[in-house]
Amino acid sequence: MHRTRPTVVYVHGNGNKVRSGLLKSQWDQALFGRDMADASRMAYWAALQYERPLPDFRVDALDGGPLTETESVAAAGAGVFDSPEEFVARTVQEARREAGAAAPEGRAVETPAEAAEGALVGWLREMTYLAETLGAAETGGHEGTEDDGALPLEVLPLPRPLRTALFRELVRRTFRDVHAYFFGDRGPAIRRVIEDALPPPGAGPVVVVGHSLGSVAAYEVLREREREVELLVTLGSPLAITEVRDQLARPPAVPAGVRAWRNVSDLRDLVALGHTLRPEYGPPERITDALVTNNSENHHGISQYLAQAAVREPVQRLFGQPA
């Protein structure tokens, strides 16, 4: 009996990306080791936020690439070198401006939207203090020491201020985009892009792979539409975080049409922060949580996640090829 070929739908995460076709090819190479042609699709929503894509082969800092000189200057202007509380306050103000939302007026009784935003700010604060910890821990004690010259430059960790700035930039842009998704107008537009990328019902087995905020949007589409999906893979996802889970349109659960769900994260990933979806998203027997080592600059990079055996094996098994 002829078996219909599966289709994998990718949903990228926060930040600007290279052009859609190249991004899809990069994900193909990381996950399958080859270009999958029309067996894979990219739900490309970066164009909703950015006028033009990144230059070819530039890796966005949110995907684990280094901050460019221009980004470093912009990051400094965005307060990544402020104290943690000043950074949190500045990031919230920036997110509100972009979402067109007014600041709460100090009323005795909060509106539901203000209370929800306040909870999300708690998540921002947790990410910020973890960024401080990682920035300090991952300098490796080389900052300003005489021994630095004994090691090749490329193996030296970044000095602590720059290391912390890299993590804070991930925090800043992640919060801004998640805030816009839930409290601005970006959520419906992102979900429409994902819906358009899904094959029509009955077209064959479907695998959905979502990264970062893309995993949230993909989950909500599948929860709402109840599309038949053989495997849902979420990478570096904030879906396990209480403050994010509380903003979902429906109570957390495995989408009805999803047969299996694999959630993969690194314990140092600031965006994931929470790492276990079971049992909040029942039934738990359909979910597998896996911890991996993501050695990108910020431990959130997509290529490093896709190359993990915990990701490649279940996906490639559906395509009938060894991982």
Side-chain angles (χ1 to χ4, degrees):
M1 180 178 179
H2 177 69
R3 184 176 181 272
T4 306
R5 184 186 63 180
T7 300
V8 58
V9 177
Y10 302 129
V11 187
H12 69 75
N14 313 51
N16 199 6
K17 309 298 171 194
V18 297
R19 53 193 167 87
S20 178
L22 177 57
L23 186 64
K24 184 191 90 72
S25 180
Q26 291 173 347
W27 284 45
D28 281 346
Q29 290 293 337
L31 183 56
F32 294 97
R34 62 188 176 90
D35 193 288
M36 296 300 289
D38 61 355
S40 65
R41 304 176 178 187
M42 175 61 69
Y44 188 84
W45 55 269
L48 298 173
Q49 182 175 352
Y50 299 92
E51 291 184 6
R52 57 183 63 86
L54 292 174
D56 288 1
F57 304 107
R58 246 291 302 285
V59 179
D60 182 70
L62 268 68
D63 280 337
L67 288 174
T68 65
E69 183 177 351
T70 300
E71 286 175 327
S72 296
V73 172
V80 296
F81 296 113
D82 290 347
S83 72
E85 286 304 318
E86 288 172 333
F87 171 76
V88 168
R90 187 193 291 253
T91 301
V92 172
Q93 290 172 356
E94 178 187 61
R96 284 174 180 158
R97 282 197 304 270
E98 293 199 1
E105 300 174 356
R107 291 183 293 273
V109 178
E110 289 184 313
T111 68
E114 289 169 357
E117 186 197 53
L120 208 61
V121 171
W123 169 53
L124 167 62
R125 188 170 287 106
E126 288 183 59
M127 287 196 293
T128 300
Y129 277 99
L130 181 55
E132 299 296 302
T133 301
L134 289 173
E138 298 191 5
T139 55
H142 292 291
E143 182 184 24
T145 67
E146 296 180 358
D147 294 334
D148 286 353
L151 294 171
L153 181 61
E154 61 269 17
V155 304
L156 289 177
L158 291 170
R160 177 174 176 175
L162 293 180
R163 188 71 182 159
T164 301
L166 180 67
F167 285 123
R168 278 199 179 182
E169 182 65 3
L170 172 64
V171 170
R172 185 182 72 86
R173 288 202 248 170
T174 295
F175 180 79
R176 182 192 67 190
D177 286 356
V178 171
H179 186 281
Y181 179 83
F182 286 119
F183 302 110
D185 59 359
R186 192 171 303 144
I190 293 175
R191 292 193 291 272
R192 281 194 296 272
V193 170
I194 298 170
E195 290 175 9
D196 290 344
L198 290 170
V206 176
V207 177
V208 175
V209 180
H211 179 224
S212 197
L213 177 57
S215 70
V216 177
Y219 164 81
E220 290 216 287
V221 168
L222 297 178
R223 186 84 168 89
E224 177 69 28
R225 301 302 180 192
E226 298 188 357
R227 291 291 307 276
E228 291 294 325
V229 169
E230 196 76 14
L231 175 65
L232 169 62
V233 181
T234 50
L235 307 172
S237 175
L239 280 167
I241 299 164
T242 301
E243 294 88 346
V244 172
R245 194 168 61 237
D246 288 347
Q247 312 311 318
L248 300 174
R250 294 190 173 195
V254 178
V258 172
R259 297 188 62 179
W261 183 350
R262 178 155 296 201
N263 180 60
V264 178
S265 62
D266 184 306
L267 284 173
R268 300 163 296 175
D269 188 331
L270 291 167
V271 177
L273 203 59
H275 305 278
T276 304
L277 297 183
R278 306 170 73 223
E280 286 82 1
Y281 292 81
E285 63 270 14
R286 285 159 62 188
I287 299 178
T288 301
D289 291 304
L291 292 176
V292 299
T293 300
N294 184 321
N295 279 329
S296 60
E297 286 283 353
N298 59 14
H299 313 302
H300 186 64
I302 184 58
S303 295
Q304 290 79 0
Y305 270 134
L306 291 171
Q308 299 291 330
V311 179
R312 301 184 82 177
E313 288 175 358
V315 175
Q316 293 188 11
R317 193 179 306 122
L318 292 172
F319 280 78
Q321 66 182 84

